[in-house]
Amino acid sequence: MPGLMLLDTPSLYYRAYYGIPESMTAPDGMPVNAVRGVIDMIAMLVRRYSPGEMAACMDADWRPAFRVAAIPTYKTHRVVEGGAEETPGTLAPQVPVLERVLDAVGIARVGVPGYEADDVMGTLTARAGGPVDVVTGDRDLFQLVDDTRPVRVLYTARGVKNLQTIDEAAVTEKYGVPGRAYADFATLRGDPSDGLPGVPGVGDKTAAALITAYGSLEALLRALDEDDPGSGSPQGGAAVLTAGRRAKLSAAREYLRAAPGVVQVARDAPVPAIDLALPSAPRDPEALAALGERYGLRSPLERLTSAL
């Protein structure tokens, strides 16, 4: 059944930027490798999956204040002077061009002040009444996977031509936890790429064992607070909450209280009501033609228009 496809647009344009040579330029010499790459990605996705709706989700705020307040180290390694995100100099000018292309095509472009693209995708997924495909290279979005609806991630780590379909079985096979528990697992393990320290001494295997035993981070912390040796866990918590692990978790208690609000994507961001229907023809063909001429994008735009 045609469903909703959510594009993690920043993830896609970074992948395109690093995957396609900068020698791909507009007539005036401006690199357009990221723009061309994303256009071709969308064309391929439309042809392969035939979604009925599509949203290009954007970072209106790449480092939201509520996450920084909870974990001050959140993405600090990407901050440059003035608080902006470190972005390659030849990528930054391409993003507005891509936005204009999306608007001319008629693909909904959605961002919300104070929230990341992840939060937009989480909220649109929560609102959706049918199947959802989330296209991303970010493992954090594995937490949205839900076979019952179904919601799956089309993971771009191996490239868009070699997408990995991530469902609950795939998450369990790779990490040892169900998809709905991925955020709790990631909180324990941490993520250096986002400046999340995790619990020192707790890696993937230990995090998976603890979440599997207790079912959720909340239940694990409740057992820790109650000094529960595991007798209340039907999954055998006593076997995994050893004295050594208890000590590590206790030392990281402040982090564990704050981190879930950072790791979990929002499901209730104030995303405005918007028509997400995928157009069968460009919304503004004249503007699209002008963009194709100005930036040397005629061929990829023809491919996208044909796919639509």
Side-chain angles (χ1 to χ4, degrees), residues 83-144:
E85 181 181 15
E86 183 178 18
T87 305
T90 51
L91 171 60
Q94 296 189 56
V95 176
V97 177
L98 175 60
E99 292 175 341
R100 290 164 62 192
V101 166
L102 293 169
D103 292 347
V105 172
I107 293 173
R109 182 166 57 87
V110 190
V112 178
Y115 292 88
E116 298 177 64
D118 290 14
D119 302 310
V120 175
M121 287 181 279
T123 299
L124 291 176
T125 296
R127 291 181 185 176
V132 180
D133 283 337
V134 179
V135 186
T136 183
D138 186 352
R139 294 179 300 173
D140 288 346
L141 290 164
F142 290 177
Q143 64 187 274
L144 298 178

Tab-separated table of all heavy atoms in Angstrom, residues 83-144:
chain	number	residue	atom	x	y	z
A	83	GLY	N	28.112	29.791	17.545
A	83	GLY	CA	27.127	28.778	17.874
A	83	GLY	C	26.545	28.043	16.696
A	83	GLY	O	25.643	27.222	16.854
A	84	ALA	N	27.042	28.335	15.495
A	84	ALA	CA	26.523	27.657	14.307
A	84	ALA	C	27.113	26.253	14.193
A	84	ALA	O	28.112	25.910	14.836
A	84	ALA	CB	26.858	28.459	13.053
A	85	GLU	N	26.485	25.449	13.343
A	85	GLU	CA	26.988	24.095	13.105
A	85	GLU	C	28.122	24.135	12.101
A	85	GLU	O	28.071	24.865	11.103
A	85	GLU	CB	25.865	23.204	12.560
A	85	GLU	CG	26.302	21.776	12.301
A	85	GLU	CD	25.192	20.908	11.748
A	85	GLU	OE1	24.163	21.461	11.301
A	85	GLU	OE2	25.342	19.682	11.774
A	86	GLU	N	29.149	23.353	12.374
A	86	GLU	CA	30.260	23.245	11.440
A	86	GLU	C	29.767	22.556	10.158
A	86	GLU	O	29.324	21.409	10.179
A	86	GLU	CB	31.399	22.429	12.057
A	86	GLU	CG	32.616	22.336	11.181
A	86	GLU	CD	33.735	21.555	11.845
A	86	GLU	OE1	33.449	20.807	12.807
A	86	GLU	OE2	34.887	21.689	11.410
A	87	THR	N	29.820	23.284	9.064
A	87	THR	CA	29.338	22.785	7.781
A	87	THR	C	30.384	23.070	6.717
A	87	THR	O	30.942	24.174	6.677
A	87	THR	CB	28.016	23.479	7.376
A	87	THR	OG1	27.062	23.318	8.430
A	87	THR	CG2	27.450	22.895	6.096
A	88	PRO	N	30.704	22.107	5.862
A	88	PRO	CA	31.678	22.367	4.793
A	88	PRO	C	31.291	23.601	3.983
A	88	PRO	O	30.110	23.806	3.651
A	88	PRO	CB	31.598	21.096	3.937
A	88	PRO	CG	31.140	20.033	4.879
A	88	PRO	CD	30.199	20.720	5.829
A	89	GLY	N	32.283	24.412	3.665
A	89	GLY	CA	32.021	25.689	3.001
A	89	GLY	C	31.315	25.562	1.674
A	89	GLY	O	30.540	26.455	1.284
A	90	THR	N	31.557	24.472	0.953
A	90	THR	CA	30.905	24.317	-0.352
A	90	THR	C	29.566	23.585	-0.257
A	90	THR	O	28.873	23.455	-1.263
A	90	THR	CB	31.837	23.565	-1.327
A	90	THR	OG1	32.297	22.357	-0.705
A	90	THR	CG2	33.028	24.427	-1.714
A	91	LEU	N	29.215	23.121	0.935
A	91	LEU	CA	27.893	22.513	1.120
A	91	LEU	C	26.852	23.551	1.503
A	91	LEU	O	25.721	23.527	0.998
A	91	LEU	CB	27.950	21.412	2.191
A	91	LEU	CG	26.604	20.828	2.647
A	91	LEU	CD1	25.858	20.204	1.455
A	91	LEU	CD2	26.798	19.799	3.750
A	92	ALA	N	27.217	24.466	2.399
A	92	ALA	CA	26.244	25.425	2.930
A	92	ALA	C	25.461	26.167	1.840
A	92	ALA	O	24.222	26.291	1.944
A	92	ALA	CB	26.944	26.417	3.859
A	93	PRO	N	26.096	26.659	0.757
A	93	PRO	CA	25.318	27.372	-0.265
A	93	PRO	C	24.375	26.470	-1.056
A	93	PRO	O	23.469	26.962	-1.727
A	93	PRO	CB	26.406	27.949	-1.191
A	93	PRO	CG	27.683	27.878	-0.427
A	93	PRO	CD	27.544	26.695	0.480
A	94	GLN	N	24.599	25.152	-0.978
A	94	GLN	CA	23.754	24.236	-1.747
A	94	GLN	C	22.408	23.964	-1.074
A	94	GLN	O	21.434	23.608	-1.746
A	94	GLN	CB	24.481	22.910	-1.973
A	94	GLN	CG	25.745	23.030	-2.815
A	94	GLN	CD	26.296	21.662	-3.179
A	94	GLN	OE1	25.596	20.838	-3.756
A	94	GLN	NE2	27.556	21.427	-2.835
A	95	VAL	N	22.365	24.122	0.242
A	95	VAL	CA	21.131	23.786	0.963
A	95	VAL	C	19.966	24.680	0.525
A	95	VAL	O	18.872	24.162	0.241
A	95	VAL	CB	21.360	23.847	2.486
A	95	VAL	CG1	20.054	23.586	3.231
A	95	VAL	CG2	22.417	22.822	2.900
A	96	PRO	N	20.138	26.012	0.422
A	96	PRO	CA	19.012	26.831	-0.061
A	96	PRO	C	18.580	26.471	-1.486
A	96	PRO	O	17.392	26.572	-1.815
A	96	PRO	CB	19.565	28.266	0.000
A	96	PRO	CG	20.687	28.208	0.980
A	96	PRO	CD	21.282	26.843	0.829
A	97	VAL	N	19.528	26.061	-2.319
A	97	VAL	CA	19.178	25.648	-3.681
A	97	VAL	C	18.305	24.401	-3.636
A	97	VAL	O	17.279	24.307	-4.331
A	97	VAL	CB	20.448	25.390	-4.515
A	97	VAL	CG1	20.073	24.894	-5.918
A	97	VAL	CG2	21.301	26.645	-4.607
A	98	LEU	N	18.691	23.443	-2.809
A	98	LEU	CA	17.901	22.224	-2.658
A	98	LEU	C	16.503	22.550	-2.149
A	98	LEU	O	15.503	21.981	-2.623
A	98	LEU	CB	18.599	21.262	-1.701
A	98	LEU	CG	17.841	19.983	-1.357
A	98	LEU	CD1	17.568	19.157	-2.612
A	98	LEU	CD2	18.604	19.156	-0.331
A	99	GLU	N	16.406	23.472	-1.212
A	99	GLU	CA	15.097	23.850	-0.679
A	99	GLU	C	14.211	24.443	-1.768
A	99	GLU	O	13.008	24.157	-1.847
A	99	GLU	CB	15.268	24.830	0.479
A	99	GLU	CG	15.915	24.192	1.716
A	99	GLU	CD	16.187	25.192	2.821
A	99	GLU	OE1	16.221	26.410	2.522
A	99	GLU	OE2	16.354	24.768	3.971
A	100	ARG	N	14.800	25.263	-2.627
A	100	ARG	CA	14.035	25.860	-3.728
A	100	ARG	C	13.587	24.790	-4.716
A	100	ARG	O	12.469	24.855	-5.255
A	100	ARG	CB	14.875	26.934	-4.423
A	100	ARG	CG	15.096	28.184	-3.566
A	100	ARG	CD	16.222	29.046	-4.108
A	100	ARG	NE	15.939	29.548	-5.452
A	100	ARG	CZ	16.860	30.124	-6.227
A	100	ARG	NH1	18.119	30.232	-5.792
A	100	ARG	NH2	16.526	30.570	-7.408
A	101	VAL	N	14.439	23.801	-4.943
A	101	VAL	CA	14.068	22.697	-5.831
A	101	VAL	C	12.887	21.925	-5.246
A	101	VAL	O	11.907	21.626	-5.946
A	101	VAL	CB	15.269	21.760	-6.071
A	101	VAL	CG1	14.816	20.445	-6.703
A	101	VAL	CG2	16.314	22.437	-6.947
A	102	LEU	N	12.969	21.585	-3.971
A	102	LEU	CA	11.882	20.843	-3.327
A	102	LEU	C	10.570	21.612	-3.415
A	102	LEU	O	9.506	21.039	-3.687
A	102	LEU	CB	12.233	20.559	-1.872
A	102	LEU	CG	13.389	19.591	-1.626
A	102	LEU	CD1	13.806	19.615	-0.155
A	102	LEU	CD2	13.023	18.172	-2.039
A	103	ASP	N	10.640	22.919	-3.189
A	103	ASP	CA	9.432	23.742	-3.237
A	103	ASP	C	8.851	23.792	-4.644
A	103	ASP	O	7.630	23.716	-4.829
A	103	ASP	CB	9.731	25.156	-2.746
A	103	ASP	CG	10.053	25.208	-1.257
A	103	ASP	OD1	9.803	24.196	-0.560
A	103	ASP	OD2	10.562	26.246	-0.795
A	104	ALA	N	9.703	23.915	-5.647
A	104	ALA	CA	9.230	23.978	-7.028
A	104	ALA	C	8.641	22.642	-7.468
A	104	ALA	O	7.649	22.608	-8.210
A	104	ALA	CB	10.365	24.397	-7.955
A	105	VAL	N	9.229	21.555	-6.997
A	105	VAL	CA	8.694	20.235	-7.319
A	105	VAL	C	7.352	20.029	-6.641
A	105	VAL	O	6.435	19.413	-7.205
A	105	VAL	CB	9.684	19.130	-6.901
A	105	VAL	CG1	9.053	17.742	-7.038
A	105	VAL	CG2	10.953	19.196	-7.742
A	106	GLY	N	7.219	20.531	-5.425
A	106	GLY	CA	5.986	20.345	-4.671
A	106	GLY	C	6.102	19.276	-3.603
A	106	GLY	O	5.088	18.781	-3.105
A	107	ILE	N	7.339	18.920	-3.235
A	107	ILE	CA	7.549	17.980	-2.133
A	107	ILE	C	7.526	18.770	-0.830
A	107	ILE	O	8.276	19.745	-0.675
A	107	ILE	CB	8.883	17.231	-2.296
A	107	ILE	CG1	8.817	16.319	-3.524
A	107	ILE	CG2	9.215	16.408	-1.044
A	107	ILE	CD1	10.132	15.654	-3.877
A	108	ALA	N	6.678	18.372	0.088
A	108	ALA	CA	6.530	19.107	1.347
A	108	ALA	C	7.863	19.190	2.075
A	108	ALA	O	8.561	18.186	2.235
A	108	ALA	CB	5.490	18.418	2.221
A	109	ARG	N	8.210	20.392	2.501
A	109	ARG	CA	9.446	20.628	3.253
A	109	ARG	C	9.036	21.091	4.642
A	109	ARG	O	8.387	22.118	4.793
A	109	ARG	CB	10.287	21.676	2.521
A	109	ARG	CG	11.613	21.979	3.160
A	109	ARG	CD	12.502	22.745	2.182
A	109	ARG	NE	11.906	23.967	1.697
A	109	ARG	CZ	11.993	25.157	2.311
A	109	ARG	NH1	12.628	25.255	3.461
A	109	ARG	NH2	11.430	26.227	1.778
A	110	VAL	N	9.430	20.315	5.662
A	110	VAL	CA	8.879	20.538	7.006
A	110	VAL	C	10.000	20.700	8.036
A	110	VAL	O	10.851	19.815	8.185
A	110	VAL	CB	7.975	19.359	7.439
A	110	VAL	CG1	7.227	19.725	8.714
A	110	VAL	CG2	6.990	18.978	6.340
A	111	GLY	N	9.977	21.822	8.711
A	111	GLY	CA	10.873	22.070	9.831
A	111	GLY	C	10.115	22.846	10.893
A	111	GLY	O	9.170	23.580	10.573
A	112	VAL	N	10.520	22.697	12.142
A	112	VAL	CA	9.826	23.357	13.245
A	112	VAL	C	10.853	24.061	14.128
A	112	VAL	O	11.807	23.421	14.591
A	112	VAL	CB	9.037	22.339	14.103
A	112	VAL	CG1	8.355	23.036	15.264
A	112	VAL	CG2	8.001	21.612	13.251
A	113	PRO	N	10.702	25.368	14.363
A	113	PRO	CA	11.651	26.081	15.221
A	113	PRO	C	11.833	25.378	16.561
A	113	PRO	O	10.861	24.979	17.207
A	113	PRO	CB	10.996	27.459	15.392
A	113	PRO	CG	10.167	27.639	14.158
A	113	PRO	CD	9.647	26.265	13.836
A	114	GLY	N	13.097	25.213	16.955
A	114	GLY	CA	13.392	24.590	18.235
A	114	GLY	C	13.496	23.082	18.190
A	114	GLY	O	13.709	22.454	19.235
A	115	TYR	N	13.355	22.496	16.996
A	115	TYR	CA	13.388	21.039	16.874
A	115	TYR	C	14.247	20.610	15.691
A	115	TYR	O	14.424	21.352	14.724
A	115	TYR	CB	11.973	20.481	16.691
A	115	TYR	CG	11.097	20.631	17.904
A	115	TYR	CD1	10.336	21.783	18.101
A	115	TYR	CD2	11.032	19.623	18.868
A	115	TYR	CE1	9.534	21.934	19.218
A	115	TYR	CE2	10.222	19.766	19.987
A	115	TYR	CZ	9.478	20.913	20.158
A	115	TYR	OH	8.686	21.066	21.275
A	116	GLU	N	14.739	19.378	15.800
A	116	GLU	CA	15.524	18.785	14.727
A	116	GLU	C	14.632	18.029	13.746
A	116	GLU	O	13.465	17.742	14.037
A	116	GLU	CB	16.561	17.818	15.319
A	116	GLU	CG	17.555	18.482	16.245
A	116	GLU	CD	18.523	17.493	16.866
A	116	GLU	OE1	19.302	16.868	16.120
A	116	GLU	OE2	18.494	17.355	18.100
A	117	ALA	N	15.225	17.659	12.616
A	117	ALA	CA	14.501	16.854	11.631
A	117	ALA	C	14.015	15.548	12.259
A	117	ALA	O	12.931	15.057	11.938
A	117	ALA	CB	15.390	16.572	10.422
A	118	ASP	N	14.823	14.973	13.155
A	118	ASP	CA	14.416	13.736	13.833
A	118	ASP	C	13.073	13.890	14.531
A	118	ASP	O	12.232	12.975	14.528
A	118	ASP	CB	15.462	13.331	14.883
A	118	ASP	CG	16.766	12.861	14.278
A	118	ASP	OD1	16.973	13.089	13.071
A	118	ASP	OD2	17.574	12.267	14.999
A	119	ASP	N	12.868	15.039	15.159
A	119	ASP	CA	11.634	15.278	15.900
A	119	ASP	C	10.439	15.447	14.955
A	119	ASP	O	9.325	15.026	15.276
A	119	ASP	CB	11.781	16.514	16.779
A	119	ASP	CG	12.940	16.391	17.758
A	119	ASP	OD1	13.014	15.360	18.458
A	119	ASP	OD2	13.778	17.312	17.813
A	120	VAL	N	10.693	16.062	13.811
A	120	VAL	CA	9.638	16.184	12.805
A	120	VAL	C	9.231	14.795	12.330
A	120	VAL	O	8.038	14.469	12.218
A	120	VAL	CB	10.113	17.047	11.624
A	120	VAL	CG1	9.057	17.066	10.517
A	120	VAL	CG2	10.423	18.465	12.078
A	121	MET	N	10.228	13.950	12.081
A	121	MET	CA	9.928	12.591	11.625
A	121	MET	C	9.207	11.783	12.705
A	121	MET	O	8.272	11.030	12.414
A	121	MET	CB	11.224	11.895	11.197
A	121	MET	CG	11.763	12.435	9.876
A	121	MET	SD	13.268	11.611	9.317
A	121	MET	CE	14.480	12.480	10.308
A	122	GLY	N	9.620	11.951	13.948
A	122	GLY	CA	8.948	11.256	15.040
A	122	GLY	C	7.501	11.664	15.170
A	122	GLY	O	6.613	10.825	15.382
A	123	THR	N	7.240	12.965	15.018
A	123	THR	CA	5.878	13.470	15.154
A	123	THR	C	5.004	13.044	13.980
A	123	THR	O	3.857	12.615	14.165
A	123	THR	CB	5.907	15.007	15.275
A	123	THR	OG1	6.665	15.366	16.445
A	123	THR	CG2	4.508	15.580	15.382
A	124	LEU	N	5.531	13.155	12.769
A	124	LEU	CA	4.750	12.737	11.598
A	124	LEU	C	4.504	11.232	11.610
A	124	LEU	O	3.439	10.772	11.177
A	124	LEU	CB	5.464	13.154	10.310
A	124	LEU	CG	5.496	14.668	10.036
A	124	LEU	CD1	6.315	14.964	8.781
A	124	LEU	CD2	4.081	15.220	9.886
A	125	THR	N	5.456	10.472	12.121
A	125	THR	CA	5.251	9.026	12.254
A	125	THR	C	4.131	8.742	13.247
A	125	THR	O	3.260	7.890	13.003
A	125	THR	CB	6.544	8.340	12.718
A	125	THR	OG1	7.551	8.503	11.702
A	125	THR	CG2	6.335	6.862	12.965
A	126	ALA	N	4.133	9.457	14.373
A	126	ALA	CA	3.094	9.246	15.385
A	126	ALA	C	1.714	9.603	14.847
A	126	ALA	O	0.713	8.982	15.224
A	126	ALA	CB	3.405	10.080	16.628
A	127	ARG	N	1.641	10.582	13.968
A	127	ARG	CA	0.352	11.024	13.430
A	127	ARG	C	-0.148	10.138	12.287
A	127	ARG	O	-1.336	10.139	11.978
A	127	ARG	CB	0.479	12.455	12.901
A	127	ARG	CG	0.678	13.510	13.956
A	127	ARG	CD	0.763	14.873	13.288
A	127	ARG	NE	1.076	15.944	14.217
A	127	ARG	CZ	1.281	17.205	13.843
A	127	ARG	NH1	1.206	17.535	12.558
A	127	ARG	NH2	1.578	18.133	14.740
A	128	ALA	N	0.766	9.443	11.634
A	128	ALA	CA	0.415	8.717	10.417
A	128	ALA	C	-0.592	7.604	10.709
A	128	ALA	O	-0.511	6.925	11.733
A	128	ALA	CB	1.663	8.134	9.775
A	129	GLY	N	-1.503	7.419	9.778
A	129	GLY	CA	-2.498	6.376	9.951
A	129	GLY	C	-2.193	5.111	9.182
A	129	GLY	O	-2.979	4.160	9.216
A	130	GLY	N	-1.062	5.094	8.475
A	130	GLY	CA	-0.710	3.931	7.664
A	130	GLY	C	0.778	3.666	7.686
A	130	GLY	O	1.492	4.152	8.574
A	131	PRO	N	1.285	2.916	6.712
A	131	PRO	CA	2.703	2.565	6.684
A	131	PRO	C	3.597	3.806	6.557
A	131	PRO	O	3.226	4.789	5.904
A	131	PRO	CB	2.825	1.687	5.435
A	131	PRO	CG	1.447	1.225	5.136
A	131	PRO	CD	0.532	2.314	5.602
A	132	VAL	N	4.767	3.739	7.184
A	132	VAL	CA	5.738	4.830	7.128
A	132	VAL	C	7.116	4.255	6.816
A	132	VAL	O	7.538	3.266	7.441
A	132	VAL	CB	5.807	5.611	8.463
A	132	VAL	CG1	6.831	6.742	8.370
A	132	VAL	CG2	4.444	6.160	8.849
A	133	ASP	N	7.813	4.876	5.864
A	133	ASP	CA	9.213	4.580	5.591
A	133	ASP	C	10.038	5.801	5.957
A	133	ASP	O	9.769	6.909	5.471
A	133	ASP	CB	9.439	4.248	4.112
A	133	ASP	CG	8.994	2.843	3.750
A	133	ASP	OD1	8.920	1.996	4.660
A	133	ASP	OD2	8.737	2.593	2.556
A	134	VAL	N	11.041	5.617	6.808
A	134	VAL	CA	11.934	6.697	7.231
A	134	VAL	C	13.275	6.476	6.550
A	134	VAL	O	13.931	5.454	6.782
A	134	VAL	CB	12.110	6.702	8.763
A	134	VAL	CG1	13.069	7.809	9.180
A	134	VAL	CG2	10.756	6.869	9.454
A	135	VAL	N	13.688	7.419	5.714
A	135	VAL	CA	14.927	7.282	4.956
A	135	VAL	C	16.012	8.089	5.657
A	135	VAL	O	15.939	9.319	5.733
A	135	VAL	CB	14.760	7.770	3.506
A	135	VAL	CG1	16.028	7.490	2.700
A	135	VAL	CG2	13.563	7.097	2.850
A	136	THR	N	17.029	7.406	6.175
A	136	THR	CA	18.031	8.079	6.993
A	136	THR	C	19.310	7.256	7.077
A	136	THR	O	19.297	6.049	6.834
A	136	THR	CB	17.478	8.316	8.420
A	136	THR	OG1	18.438	9.051	9.196
A	136	THR	CG2	17.201	6.987	9.128
A	137	GLY	N	20.381	7.932	7.451
A	137	GLY	CA	21.625	7.246	7.783
A	137	GLY	C	21.908	7.322	9.271
A	137	GLY	O	23.011	7.000	9.715
A	138	ASP	N	20.906	7.732	10.047
A	138	ASP	CA	21.054	7.960	11.489
A	138	ASP	C	20.415	6.796	12.265
A	138	ASP	O	19.198	6.602	12.217
A	138	ASP	CB	20.371	9.280	11.856
A	138	ASP	CG	20.585	9.687	13.310
A	138	ASP	OD1	21.135	8.865	14.079
A	138	ASP	OD2	20.186	10.807	13.673
A	139	ARG	N	21.230	6.067	13.010
A	139	ARG	CA	20.718	4.925	13.781
A	139	ARG	C	19.728	5.338	14.858
A	139	ARG	O	18.900	4.524	15.288
A	139	ARG	CB	21.884	4.172	14.434
A	139	ARG	CG	22.828	3.501	13.466
A	139	ARG	CD	23.951	2.816	14.206
A	139	ARG	NE	24.734	3.759	15.006
A	139	ARG	CZ	25.696	3.403	15.855
A	139	ARG	NH1	25.979	2.124	16.041
A	139	ARG	NH2	26.366	4.320	16.534
A	140	ASP	N	19.787	6.585	15.310
A	140	ASP	CA	18.864	7.033	16.363
A	140	ASP	C	17.408	6.813	15.963
A	140	ASP	O	16.544	6.609	16.825
A	140	ASP	CB	19.077	8.515	16.665
A	140	ASP	CG	20.381	8.785	17.400
A	140	ASP	OD1	20.985	7.824	17.911
A	140	ASP	OD2	20.801	9.958	17.450
A	141	LEU	N	17.137	6.851	14.672
A	141	LEU	CA	15.754	6.722	14.215
A	141	LEU	C	15.278	5.278	14.183
A	141	LEU	O	14.107	5.027	13.881
A	141	LEU	CB	15.600	7.391	12.851
A	141	LEU	CG	15.708	8.929	12.957
A	141	LEU	CD1	15.933	9.552	11.602
A	141	LEU	CD2	14.458	9.515	13.600
A	142	PHE	N	16.147	4.332	14.537
A	142	PHE	CA	15.694	2.948	14.684
A	142	PHE	C	14.622	2.832	15.766
A	142	PHE	O	13.838	1.893	15.777
A	142	PHE	CB	16.867	2.019	15.024
A	142	PHE	CG	17.842	1.808	13.895
A	142	PHE	CD1	18.983	1.037	14.095
A	142	PHE	CD2	17.650	2.370	12.645
A	142	PHE	CE1	19.894	0.821	13.074
A	142	PHE	CE2	18.563	2.172	11.609
A	142	PHE	CZ	19.687	1.389	11.825
A	143	GLN	N	14.589	3.811	16.680
A	143	GLN	CA	13.588	3.777	17.756
A	143	GLN	C	12.164	3.927	17.233
A	143	GLN	O	11.204	3.640	17.953
A	143	GLN	CB	13.873	4.867	18.781
A	143	GLN	CG	13.761	6.282	18.250
A	143	GLN	CD	14.213	7.327	19.254
A	143	GLN	OE1	13.432	7.768	20.087
A	143	GLN	NE2	15.477	7.726	19.179
A	144	LEU	N	12.002	4.360	15.982
A	144	LEU	CA	10.671	4.525	15.411
A	144	LEU	C	10.120	3.237	14.810
A	144	LEU	O	8.924	3.151	14.511
A	144	LEU	CB	10.699	5.608	14.316
A	144	LEU	CG	11.079	7.026	14.752
A	144	LEU	CD1	11.092	7.954	13.547
A	144	LEU	CD2	10.114	7.541	15.821
